[in-house]
Amino acid sequence: MAHPGDVSALASLIDAGELRARDIVAFIGKTEGNGGVNDFTRGYFTQSLMALLARHTGEPAEALAARIPCVLSGGTEGVLSPHFVVFARHGDAPAQPVDTVNGSLAIGTAFTDPLPAEAVGRWAQVESVAAAVRAAMNDAGLTDPREIEFVQVKCPCITSARVQDAAARGQTVVTTDANRSMALSRAAGAFGIALALGELPASATDADLLADFAVACNRASVSSGVEVTCNEVIVLGNSTRWSGPLRIAHAPMRDALDLPAVGAALDRLGIAARPQVDDADRDRIAAVLVKCEPDRRGQIRGARHTMLDDTDINAQRHIRGAVGALVAGVMGDGRLFVSGGAEHQGPDGGGLVAVIAAGRA
Amino acid sequence: MAHPGDVSALASLIDAGELRARDIVAFIGKTEGNGGVNDFTRGYFTQSLMALLARHTGEPAEALAARIPCVLSGGTEGVLSPHFVVFARHGDAPAQPVDTVNGSLAIGTAFTDPLPAEAVGRWAQVESVAAAVRAAMNDAGLTDPREIEFVQVKCPCITSARVQDAAARGQTVVTTDANRSMALSRAAGAFGIALALGELPASATDADLLADFAVACNRASVSSGVEVTCNEVIVLGNSTRWSGPLRIAHAPMRDALDLPAVGAALDRLGIAARPQVDDADRDRIAAVLVKCEPDRRGQIRGARHTMLDDTDINAQRHIRGAVGALVAGVMGDGRLFVSGGAEHQGPDGGGLVAVIAAGRA
Amino acid sequence: MAHPGDVSALASLIDAGELRARDIVAFIGKTEGNGGVNDFTRGYFTQSLMALLARHTGEPAEALAARIPCVLSGGTEGVLSPHFVVFARHGDAPAQPVDTVNGSLAIGTAFTDPLPAEAVGRWAQVESVAAAVRAAMNDAGLTDPREIEFVQVKCPCITSARVQDAAARGQTVVTTDANRSMALSRAAGAFGIALALGELPASATDADLLADFAVACNRASVSSGVEVTCNEVIVLGNSTRWSGPLRIAHAPMRDALDLPAVGAALDRLGIAARPQVDDADRDRIAAVLVKCEPDRRGQIRGARHTMLDDTDINAQRHIRGAVGALVAGVMGDGRLFVSGGAEHQGPDGGGLVAVIAAGRA
Amino acid sequence: MAHPGDVSALASLIDAGELRARDIVAFIGKTEGNGGVNDFTRGYFTQSLMALLARHTGEPAEALAARIPCVLSGGTEGVLSPHFVVFARHGDAPAQPVDTVNGSLAIGTAFTDPLPAEAVGRWAQVESVAAAVRAAMNDAGLTDPREIEFVQVKCPCITSARVQDAAARGQTVVTTDANRSMALSRAAGAFGIALALGELPASATDADLLADFAVACNRASVSSGVEVTCNEVIVLGNSTRWSGPLRIAHAPMRDALDLPAVGAALDRLGIAARPQVDDADRDRIAAVLVKCEPDRRGQIRGARHTMLDDTDINAQRHIRGAVGALVAGVMGDGRLFVSGGAEHQGPDGGGLVAVIAAGRA
């Protein structure tokens, strides 16, 4: 990507016949905005992408946007590089497992109905996301939650316009603060994933959102934005009913300095980092997905950090640049999806890393 | 450090008798400003530090500032933590080497005469710095350039006031752009260090400053600021004429993703990182010094980075946050000195890392 | 001020005998930091200022800081210029009014006891500030609230350390969010001023803080910061029991475009702006004090503004730069005290302006 | 505009038949990005706009972009509001003047051939712009330079890719620094306008670009960006050969505090500001165009400003927010086109203001 309106690389692949536009089921990418409320690079890229697919599929851009999750994280701080990952699939699931040993990368997607503002950050959203995760698992033919390695959810938040709309219907919202609503929406998304994967403690309630950080899901990655009105879900796992060269593995990160976690995820794919992935293995890696956050307590391993008190640089920009570089150092590559806002997603103050890679030839 | 005026930790050490104020010969530290022209956390900290030493030594603060280099880099982006390293020494050099095998950490310092604006970024500065490096080597009793592992220089730059002062004396300056003068001053500092260490190609001239990046010194770390009017030099090496528990080792970094370089520097001190330094070894590490820069060509290993075109976040803040996190990931600790502006200091687009650590007990 | 540690202009005045250090009762100024939590230019300047006064008065710097309010606002955005205003007074109040017609500028100051964290943003703070305003009025010999034109209060906020301290005493705090505690503290300060001036509706309660913005005081200017633990108060008015060339006048600003308000305040001092103050009148102006805020509703006179959604530039920096320039345009001078965070201080979405000027010779 | 992709207001006008898409000849607007190299809100908006016009005119978006100048300035700092001005015209110029007294707003546009990188910031660009200004005057039927009130030019700059392209053709460029090339391109644009308007001193040469700021044109407004490869010109004036309710008037601003200049421009349109435009007159105002810059000498009317040394906020963002608010204060409206980078455009350290307004009914 030369800029956020540049979809020429994908256009070339389609023109060359290496990829069929109709096989595309999801996008995950990084654009070079600030990653905040006023980051319009995500909208610009989505508009450019859907216009390209519309030309190739004949479907209207709006219809494409309503069925293909396009999860973009703004902010390519430091060594991070603007890029996007295209997920495509074709063929039907076989009646019998094709690979009884390991399985291959499986992907399923789902969209919920529009979520009204009064549901955001409350249990109704938890259940809505859980249902969508189950629907995406079904779409992928994944039946066992243990097969799932990574669930990406994109959730709506509460804007002033939505507050007024809710009020007009006699409803109240959990908060009128847009930033807090985004955090609560991410929290509810993480709880919803945990619920669908059978990990959520039965005792968990609304009150635990952004409160009890011991409740966390190591396979949940959630972003929230003004641009969506429903929950969009991408489920990634490994399944013996899928074929293809790719597999996925994740590992939790206990804090922002958890370098060993990156090696742990690679290890599960048979890739060594001593300390960096070598060139041959690097070619096998198709995508790296990272979720992270600046530690709420203002310290990392006992040393004070200054991310949360910085009036000049948003804390999420700080942490993406830092954890992104740590992971990029292991990969030897800055083309990583690194997203901030990891409430209840991985260990408190840390997050998670997932890698998609091809098997050794 | 709780804030840039907080010198309480040093005050406690002095009060407890663990350190004598008069033994202090240099400071290197990170403060939590933006690291740019309008970063006043360096001045605030220096004022606080010199006031503390003045109380303990009886010397005026101005005199202390004129003999004790205080090299501060603003900007604790990402996982970096505000902190400072105090260099103290006592006793005289022995007539005979005390340790014929490895040597211990040696430190020497020197200040040049005030450098007039017309000399900044020109050969006169190269020679001034070279002479000061030799003086600092002499101060440390280091005679062989091969004993040197790291040379830190702080150089003046050209401000509007200094341009006018030079003009009044009938002199012209190399540039009237303050930022460019800082880069040229760093370049001349690096050339000066290389000259003193016998590394500078005989063919090098003024014209190579910021032009021929093949000319570089892997042991040079230079910063430039409005707050100094002369060149301040700290030379660090290992010498058999010094005793003490500490040693220093450096390694060049070929680019911002050069994770193996960090291991290489540690290796030379007998410290393993698999991939992270373990707790016992971490306790042995006294200081980590890093120099880095955003690659001028806009790419790292073929992937576009966006640091140089970012109007919101200064490129030096980006790269410090990134390379700082990569090194912190190996160390498991964010208390690192990480400084940007690595022109001719280490490989082009990369930089260098140096570690000071105690031997294993 | 050449930089935040530069107190040379004041030193010159004292050295020249134009001002006695012991007559100084307060400072109000602008420093060039970001004006946020991590703005250390305020602390740097205060340290420099108190060291200067300590040398001249013989009092310890700590004692000076505990009796001389030093209200600094960080952030000299746009045309604003770093500067500070020194308030000095001498002589005793006469038994009889000295000027039965208009009165002269009167100043009084007061400090409350340290305010525990559990009191911040609650009615206890409202009452504490009100008592201090009354004490400062008494210090100034001002008995009639109608004589007051401007009350500046500096309030503590809630930090993590103070939360823990409160918890240790079995107390709870109104919020653990530092930024919200600053807003609540400013709100309580404004209510306290209104209470002391007899303007607060009898029905007002804690629940109206940051909730009922119809409750507002047009003479209240409040800032909040981590650097204070008690409420510091400066009361400014006009009194016939004071003599001197200066008078003060304020006017509310209904929104960020309220240019006529500036003229209204000047008018009360006999200064015309057609549309700008002329050179002769400009020389009469001793200080301009402004309080402003980005409209919470996201619009100014029906046009959308983008200050509140900007991840790159803090909204307070935006509004200070804007309202500061609007007022500076009228004054023809950028040396204004402009402070953000105007909750309950002047009309909602606006703020207030006060001018101190000498009478025409 | 609700966001940079929102062209719904224009779509409504076209759908309602109040404006014919084919009559549109130019756009000037503000989008809410940072206004720097990495501001993609301009590209996003242009893409959205051209897609809308393509649907209505049947012309391809690329063809529209090549004939309709779309001058966007990013950055709606402070009270500025995202908005755009649509210029449309229809009918032919009459054989005889229609209004022998005052004339009406006239508009003409022109595009030059693509400007090679080696021409940027050199005399070839000055002449290219001058020729385009003459072509745009011709397009508008304006023959007398005195009829011109405002000329908007958008110029290309030098990017790394273009440097390499020039090198491949054996050509050298004036600078390889992208930001300096933008300033030089704006300077050459201003010189070109001055040349076409007969204002450029005969002695002016390349060497005066960014050097002799006494050479300036009070009717020139130039922006430079990576998104254009040729010079795009919009000429605005008043002509008795045009009819319509609108007229335009400009005034130079001598510095960033030149409030009287705004009144001067309004005066020429019969609009009073005492000090603010009243509601009836405000309804007459169709567009306000402002050019400004942070004074290079670091001072405004003798008081130091901090815009040029701020590492956190770009100087152009500072000055747009400041001068924008000063002008908005007079207008009572934040929907202004305010653009930074005023080299040779209006007085040094100042800039210019132009207003388009309807006559009184």
Side-chain angles (χ1 to χ4, degrees):
Chain A
M1 289 174 78
H3 58 77
D6 178 18
V7 294
S8 59
L10 177 58
S12 299
L13 286 178
I14 295 175
D15 290 344
E18 296 188 35
L19 186 66
R20 284 185 299 192
R22 66 168 186 265
D23 290 343
I24 295 174
V25 293
F27 295 99
I28 296 183
K30 290 292 300 179
T31 56
E32 58 199 283
N34 61 30
V37 177
N38 66 327
D39 182 349
F40 302 103
T41 60
R42 298 175 299 218
Y44 186 16
F45 179 64
T46 304
Q47 178 171 294
S48 304
L49 208 47
M50 295 305 164
L52 173 71
L53 294 191
R55 280 198 297 279
H56 283 281
T57 63
E59 277 183 85
E62 294 69 28
L64 288 162
R67 74 167 178 83
I68 302 178
C70 186
V71 178
L72 301 174
S73 162
T76 53
E77 294 80 11
V79 299
L80 296 176
S81 185
H83 75 287
F84 60 103
V85 176
V86 183
F87 292 89
R89 69 181 188 194
H90 61 100
D92 293 313
Q96 296 302 320
V98 290
D99 172 349
T100 51
V101 188
N102 290 308
S104 288
L105 179 67
I107 181 169
T109 63
F111 284 67
T112 67
D113 286 333
L115 195 72
E118 62 268 28
V120 171
R122 288 182 172 146
W123 207 255
Q125 186 181 10
V126 173
E127 292 185 338
S128 164
V129 169
V133 173
R134 286 185 206 107
M137 287 173 64
N138 199 47
D139 178 52
L142 293 164
T143 49
D144 184 344
R146 289 172 300 180
E147 292 172 316
I148 311 295
E149 288 288 325
F150 190 83
V151 181
Q152 177 68 46
V153 173
K154 197 168 155 192
C155 290
C157 63
I158 300 173
T159 61
S160 343
R162 290 178 194 167
V163 171
Q164 286 160 21
D165 172 65
R169 286 180 285 103
Q171 302 292 332
T172 61
V173 296
V174 67
T175 178
T176 56
D177 176 326
N179 281 310
R180 187 161 171 84
S181 83
M182 292 173 79
L184 279 164
S185 185
R186 287 192 296 265
F191 273 49
I193 297 169
L195 181 59
L197 299 186
E199 283 190 3
L200 194 71
S203 59
T205 70
D206 278 47
D208 297 323
L209 296 169
L210 301 187
D212 182 358
F213 289 99
V215 179
C217 176
N218 290 341
R219 295 176 281 176
S221 171
V222 188
S223 63
S224 176
V226 295
E227 67 272 34
V228 288
T229 51
C230 67
N231 300 297
E232 303 183 12
V233 174
I234 303 172
V235 164
L236 296 169
N238 299 309
S239 167
T240 52
R241 284 178 301 280
W242 284 64
S243 61
L246 300 169
R247 286 181 54 76
I248 180 169
H250 83 280
M253 295 185 74
R254 71 176 175 101
D255 61 21
L257 297 179
D258 193 359
L259 189 68
V262 187
L266 288 167
D267 232 28
R268 294 183 51 212
L269 297 167
I271 297 176
R274 299 191 187 87
Q276 201 169 65
V277 170
D278 66 26
D279 291 349
D281 279 340
R282 187 173 306 115
D283 289 345
R284 296 168 51 196
I285 297 175
V288 181
L289 310 166
V290 180
K291 196 80 193 180
C292 56
E293 65 180 356
D295 197 293
R296 287 172 303 106
R297 290 147 298 192
Q299 297 200 334
I300 303 174
R301 301 193 186 183
R304 182 169 68 98
H305 70 76
T306 60
M307 293 183 266
L308 294 171
D309 284 342
D310 193 337
T311 303
D312 302 315
I313 299 182
N314 182 272
Q316 302 296 343
R317 302 206 72 177
H318 271 295
I319 195 68
R320 280 192 301 259
V323 176
L326 180 146
V327 178
V330 177
M331 301 298 167
D333 194 332
R335 291 171 298 176
L336 319 173
F337 175 83
V338 180
S339 166
E343 304 87 349
H344 308 288
Q345 302 151 63
D348 190 21
L352 60 140
V353 55
V355 181
I356 300 174
R360 196 167 283 118
Chain B
M1 290 173 79
H3 58 76
D6 177 18
V7 294
S8 59
L10 178 58
S12 299
L13 285 177
I14 295 174
D15 290 343
E18 296 188 35
L19 186 66
R20 284 184 302 191
R22 67 169 188 265
D23 290 343
I24 295 174
V25 293
F27 295 99
I28 295 183
K30 290 291 300 177
T31 55
E32 59 201 283
N34 61 31
V37 177
N38 66 326
D39 182 350
F40 302 102
T41 60
R42 297 175 301 219
Y44 184 17
F45 180 63
T46 304
Q47 177 173 294
S48 305
L49 210 45
M50 296 305 165
L52 173 71
L53 293 191
R55 280 199 297 278
H56 282 281
T57 62
E59 277 184 86
E62 294 69 28
L64 289 163
R67 72 167 179 82
I68 302 178
C70 186
V71 178
L72 301 175
S73 163
T76 53
E77 293 80 11
V79 299
L80 296 175
S81 185
H83 75 287
F84 60 104
V85 176
V86 184
F87 292 90
R89 67 182 190 195
H90 61 98
D92 294 315
Q96 297 301 320
V98 291
D99 171 350
T100 51
V101 188
N102 291 307
S104 288
L105 179 67
I107 181 168
T109 64
F111 284 68
T112 67
D113 286 336
L115 195 73
E118 61 268 27
V120 171
R122 286 179 173 148
W123 207 254
Q125 186 181 10
V126 173
E127 292 184 339
S128 164
V129 169
V133 172
R134 288 186 204 103
M137 286 173 64
N138 199 48
D139 178 51
L142 293 164
T143 49
D144 185 345
R146 289 172 301 182
E147 294 171 317
I148 311 296
E149 289 287 325
F150 191 82
V151 181
Q152 177 68 45
V153 173
K154 197 168 155 189
C155 289
C157 64
I158 300 173
T159 61
S160 343
R162 289 177 194 168
V163 171
Q164 287 162 20
D165 173 65
R169 286 179 286 103
Q171 302 291 331
T172 60
V173 295
V174 68
T175 179
T176 56
D177 176 327
N179 281 311
R180 186 163 171 82
S181 83
M182 292 173 80
L184 278 164
S185 185
R186 286 191 297 263
F191 272 50
I193 296 168
L195 182 58
L197 299 186
E199 283 187 4
L200 195 71
S203 59
T205 71
D206 279 47
D208 298 322
L209 296 169
L210 300 188
D212 183 358
F213 290 99
V215 179
C217 176
N218 290 340
R219 296 175 281 175
S221 170
V222 188
S223 63
S224 177
V226 295
E227 66 272 34
V228 290
T229 51
C230 67
N231 299 298
E232 302 184 11
V233 174
I234 303 172
V235 163
L236 296 170
N238 299 309
S239 167
T240 54
R241 286 179 300 282
W242 284 64
S243 62
L246 299 170
R247 286 181 54 76
I248 180 170
H250 82 279
M253 294 183 75
R254 71 176 175 99
D255 61 21
L257 295 179
D258 194 359
L259 189 69
V262 187
L266 289 168
D267 232 28
R268 295 183 51 213
L269 297 167
I271 296 177
R274 298 192 188 87
Q276 200 169 66
V277 170
D278 67 26
D279 292 349
D281 279 341
R282 188 174 305 115
D283 289 344
R284 295 168 51 196
I285 297 175
V288 180
L289 310 165
V290 180
K291 197 79 191 179
C292 55
E293 65 181 356
D295 197 293
R296 288 173 302 104
R297 291 149 296 194
Q299 296 200 334
I300 303 174
R301 303 194 185 179
R304 182 168 69 97
H305 70 76
T306 60
M307 294 183 266
L308 295 171
D309 284 342
D310 193 337
T311 302
D312 302 314
I313 300 183
N314 182 272
Q316 303 297 341
R317 302 205 73 178
H318 271 296
I319 195 68
R320 281 193 303 259
V323 177
L326 181 145
V327 178
V330 178
M331 301 300 167
D333 194 333
R335 290 170 300 175
L336 319 173
F337 176 82
V338 179
S339 167
E343 302 88 350
H344 307 289
Q345 303 151 64
D348 189 21
L352 61 139
V353 55
V355 182
I356 301 174
R360 195 166 284 119
Chain C
M1 291 172 78
H3 58 76
D6 177 18
V7 294
S8 59
L10 177 58
S12 300
L13 285 177
I14 295 175
D15 290 343
E18 296 188 36
L19 185 65
R20 284 185 300 190
R22 67 169 187 264
D23 289 343
I24 294 174
V25 293
F27 295 99
I28 296 184
K30 289 293 298 178
T31 55
E32 59 200 282
N34 61 29
V37 177
N38 66 326
D39 182 349
F40 302 103
T41 60
R42 297 174 301 216
Y44 185 16
F45 179 63
T46 304
Q47 178 174 292
S48 304
L49 209 47
M50 296 305 165
L52 173 71
L53 293 192
R55 281 199 297 280
H56 283 281
T57 62
E59 277 184 86
E62 294 70 26
L64 289 162
R67 72 167 179 83
I68 302 178
C70 186
V71 178
L72 301 175
S73 162
T76 52
E77 294 80 11
V79 299
L80 296 175
S81 185
H83 75 288
F84 59 103
V85 176
V86 183
F87 292 89
R89 69 182 188 193
H90 62 98
D92 292 315
Q96 296 301 320
V98 290
D99 172 349
T100 51
V101 188
N102 291 309
S104 289
L105 179 67
I107 182 169
T109 63
F111 284 67
T112 67
D113 286 334
L115 195 72
E118 62 267 28
V120 171
R122 287 181 172 148
W123 207 256
Q125 186 181 9
V126 173
E127 291 185 339
S128 165
V129 169
V133 173
R134 287 186 205 106
M137 286 173 63
N138 198 48
D139 178 52
L142 293 164
T143 49
D144 184 343
R146 288 172 301 181
E147 293 172 315
I148 311 296
E149 289 287 325
F150 190 81
V151 181
Q152 177 67 46
V153 173
K154 197 167 155 191
C155 290
C157 63
I158 300 173
T159 61
S160 343
R162 289 178 194 166
V163 171
Q164 286 161 21
D165 171 65
R169 286 180 285 103
Q171 302 292 331
T172 60
V173 296
V174 67
T175 178
T176 55
D177 175 327
N179 282 310
R180 187 163 171 83
S181 83
M182 292 173 79
L184 278 165
S185 185
R186 287 192 296 266
F191 273 48
I193 296 169
L195 181 59
L197 299 185
E199 283 188 4
L200 194 71
S203 58
T205 69
D206 279 47
D208 298 322
L209 296 169
L210 300 188
D212 182 358
F213 289 99
V215 180
C217 175
N218 290 341
R219 295 176 281 176
S221 170
V222 188
S223 64
S224 176
V226 295
E227 67 271 35
V228 289
T229 51
C230 67
N231 300 297
E232 302 183 12
V233 174
I234 303 172
V235 164
L236 296 169
N238 298 308
S239 167
T240 54
R241 285 178 301 280
W242 283 65
S243 62
L246 300 170
R247 286 179 55 75
I248 180 171
H250 82 280
M253 295 184 75
R254 71 177 175 102
D255 61 21
L257 296 179
D258 194 359
L259 189 68
V262 188
L266 289 167
D267 232 29
R268 293 184 52 212
L269 297 168
I271 297 176
R274 297 191 187 86
Q276 200 169 65
V277 170
D278 67 26
D279 291 349
D281 279 341
R282 188 173 304 114
D283 288 344
R284 294 167 52 195
I285 297 175
V288 181
L289 311 165
V290 180
K291 196 80 193 179
C292 56
E293 65 180 357
D295 197 292
R296 288 172 302 107
R297 291 148 297 193
Q299 297 200 334
I300 303 175
R301 301 193 186 181
R304 182 168 69 98
H305 71 76
T306 60
M307 294 183 265
L308 295 171
D309 284 341
D310 194 337
T311 302
D312 302 315
I313 300 184
N314 182 272
Q316 303 296 342
R317 302 206 72 177
H318 270 294
I319 195 68
R320 281 192 302 260
V323 177
L326 180 147
V327 178
V330 178
M331 302 298 167
D333 194 332
R335 291 170 298 176
L336 319 174
F337 176 83
V338 180
S339 167
E343 303 87 349
H344 307 289
Q345 302 151 63
D348 190 21
L352 62 140
V353 55
V355 181
I356 300 175
R360 196 168 281 119
Chain D
M1 290 173 79
H3 58 77
D6 177 18
V7 294
S8 59
L10 178 58
S12 298
L13 286 177
I14 295 174
D15 289 343
E18 297 188 33
L19 186 66
R20 284 183 301 191
R22 66 170 188 263
D23 290 342
I24 295 174
V25 293
F27 295 98
I28 296 183
K30 291 291 299 177
T31 55
E32 58 201 282
N34 61 30
V37 177
N38 66 326
D39 182 350
F40 302 103
T41 59
R42 297 175 301 218
Y44 185 16
F45 179 64
T46 303
Q47 179 181 89
S48 305
L49 209 47
M50 296 305 164
L52 173 71
L53 293 191
R55 279 199 297 278
H56 283 280
T57 63
E59 277 185 86
E62 295 68 30
L64 289 162
R67 72 166 179 84
I68 302 179
C70 186
V71 178
L72 301 175
S73 163
T76 52
E77 294 79 11
V79 299
L80 296 176
S81 185
H83 75 287
F84 61 104
V85 176
V86 184
F87 293 90
R89 68 182 189 194
H90 63 99
D92 294 314
Q96 297 301 320
V98 290
D99 171 350
T100 51
V101 188
N102 291 307
S104 289
L105 179 67
I107 181 168
T109 63
F111 284 67
T112 67
D113 285 336
L115 195 73
E118 61 268 28
V120 172
R122 287 179 172 149
W123 207 255
Q125 186 180 9
V126 174
E127 292 185 338
S128 164
V129 168
V133 173
R134 288 185 205 106
M137 286 173 64
N138 199 48
D139 178 51
L142 293 164
T143 49
D144 185 344
R146 289 173 300 182
E147 293 172 316
I148 311 295
E149 289 288 323
F150 190 82
V151 181
Q152 177 67 45
V153 173
K154 196 167 154 190
C155 289
C157 64
I158 300 173
T159 61
S160 343
R162 290 177 193 168
V163 171
Q164 286 162 20
D165 172 66
R169 284 178 288 105
Q171 302 292 330
T172 60
V173 295
V174 68
T175 177
T176 56
D177 176 325
N179 281 310
R180 187 164 171 81
S181 84
M182 290 173 81
L184 279 164
S185 185
R186 285 192 297 264
F191 273 49
I193 297 168
L195 182 58
L197 299 185
E199 283 189 3
L200 194 71
S203 60
T205 70
D206 278 46
D208 297 323
L209 296 169
L210 299 188
D212 182 358
F213 289 98
V215 179
C217 175
N218 291 340
R219 296 175 281 176
S221 170
V222 188
S223 64
S224 177
V226 295
E227 66 272 34
V228 290
T229 52
C230 68
N231 300 297
E232 303 183 11
V233 174
I234 303 171
V235 164
L236 297 169
N238 299 308
S239 166
T240 53
R241 285 178 301 282
W242 283 64
S243 61
L246 300 169
R247 285 180 55 76
I248 180 170
H250 83 280
M253 295 184 75
R254 71 177 176 99
D255 62 20
L257 296 179
D258 194 359
L259 189 68
V262 188
L266 289 168
D267 233 27
R268 293 183 53 213
L269 297 168
I271 297 177
R274 299 192 187 87
Q276 200 169 66
V277 170
D278 66 26
D279 292 349
D281 279 341
R282 188 173 305 115
D283 288 345
R284 294 168 51 196
I285 298 175
V288 181
L289 310 166
V290 180
K291 197 78 192 178
C292 56
E293 64 180 356
D295 196 293
R296 287 173 302 106
R297 292 148 295 195
Q299 296 199 335
I300 303 174
R301 302 194 186 180
R304 181 168 70 96
H305 71 75
T306 60
M307 293 182 266
L308 294 170
D309 285 342
D310 193 337
T311 302
D312 302 314
I313 299 183
N314 182 272
Q316 302 297 341
R317 302 205 72 177
H318 270 295
I319 195 69
R320 280 192 302 260
V323 176
L326 181 144
V327 178
V330 178
M331 301 299 166
D333 194 332
R335 290 170 300 174
L336 319 173
F337 176 82
V338 180
S339 166
E343 303 88 350
H344 307 289
Q345 301 151 64
D348 190 19
L352 61 138
V353 55
V355 181
I356 300 175
R360 195 167 283 118

